Amino acid sequence: MAAEIVNPRSDSSTDRSADSGAQGAPEEPFDPAFALHRGGKMAIQATVPVRDKDDLSLAYTPGVAKVCSAIAEKPELVDDYTWKSNVVAVVTDGTAVLGLGDIGPEASLPVMEGKAILFKQFGGVDAVPIALATTDTDEIIETVVRLAPSFGGVNLEDISAPRCFEIERRLQEELDIPVFHDDQHGTAVVTLAALRNAARLTGRTLGDLRAVISGAGAAGVAIAKFLLAAGLGDVAVADRKGIVSRDREDLTDVKRELAEITNRAGLTGSLESALAGADVFIGVSGGTVPEPAVASMAPQSFVFAMANPNPEVHPDVAHRYAAVVATGRSDYPNQINNVLAFPGIFAGALQVRASRITEGMKIAAANALADVVGDALAADYVIPSPFDERVAPAVTAAVAAAARAEGVARR
């Protein structure tokens, strides 16, 4: 079965719209977002025909019993004879949805449906949105573990920090399928790819760079750890109270761990003060960075202001001082978009039936993504477009190869 995009202008969509009006729904000004979402963005589609009794006897009883019995005797056959090996659960509790915050499971569903159709369109992977009516860490973990036999992987989505860290860690410990929190790792992979190319463009390596990250939530923590693992020279992370450093007594366990591995320069104080002489700004927090702080950065700096819809540094301001500017928006060059990463990462992991997604697999994904740019590298092109047809195959192949090299592939 497959998820498919529903055309809001199809006959069935028109009928639903007419029916709702007939039932007395209030007239509203036309909005293309609501028009596209009416009736949802997904459907279930069979991959085999059921045209007559012979088809029925094969697709369902009695033929299906033979397959069930074979799987009961040899459980690994489930990957060959069901959709499990190519389907991902997209799981949320609705507590950190886009920039909207804690809006609950029902309101999160349009985003989860969107995630699912991106899995299908860009990675050829089926995905099922699952919005949970609980925010309790143990209940989320227990629920996902009970659902896991139906899926080849779990994509955690829009779950607030710091619970998201524990949920991902414990699920990966309990399950033998990939568990991936995209808000953390998808963002980190695309950021690393863009940063590698920005460094190459200016004749530097990652080891030459000192970065400052605004935001110590899921994305900020993951980006910091990932960039250091990839060889970044140094990174300092700032939350609302300033730089995360060892001398602070108000840190959570997650931030305390972060303080132990980041900020080798021993910076304290504000984000703005840390930017003085920094090579890289990475924004995943919202808010606004004052222009003088941007101006104080090192020559040939990079500004990756990824808050949506309002970047922490407006691109017009960033371009006055930075050699490379990236945002999270699609209407500016160099969009840091997770869709460049997660479809291919899961496609590669599922292809080889990996038991988990390792750091090496994520680094391979970032390298493959960066390599797509190739000789076309320019200040306004350090990361490819999500619609570049080379992206998903390159990431898929790199992740599958890395899974085999790291011993987590099962075929």
Side-chain angles (χ1 to χ4, degrees), residues 390-409:
R390 298 171 297 170
V391 167
V395 174
T396 298
V399 169
R404 291 190 177 101
E406 299 208 342
V408 297

Side-chain angles (χ1 to χ4, degrees), residues 335-409:
Q335 184 189 17
I336 308 296
N337 191 329
N338 289 16
V339 76
L340 288 163
F342 69 83
I345 289 173
F346 267 100
L350 294 174
Q351 184 181 95
V352 297
R353 296 177 189 168
S355 58
R356 62 188 301 111
I357 294 171
T358 65
E359 288 298 297
M361 292 161 71
K362 290 183 287 184
I363 288 176
N367 291 342
L369 184 55
D371 288 345
V372 169
V373 170
D375 293 336
L377 180 64
D380 61 354
Y381 185 56
V382 297
I383 199 75
S385 162
F387 296 98
D388 188 323
E389 294 182 354
R390 298 171 297 170
V391 167
V395 174
T396 298
V399 169
R404 291 190 177 101
E406 299 208 342
V408 297

Side-chain angles (χ1 to χ4, degrees), residues 44-76:
I44 296 296
Q45 177 180 337
T47 61
V48 297
V50 183
R51 299 161 299 194
D52 52 37
K53 66 181 182 64
D54 291 333
D55 289 343
L56 182 61
S57 69
L58 288 174
Y60 200 53
T61 184
V64 73
K66 298 177 183 178
V67 180
C68 293
S69 297
I71 295 171
E73 292 179 11
K74 195 175 181 181
E76 60 269 26

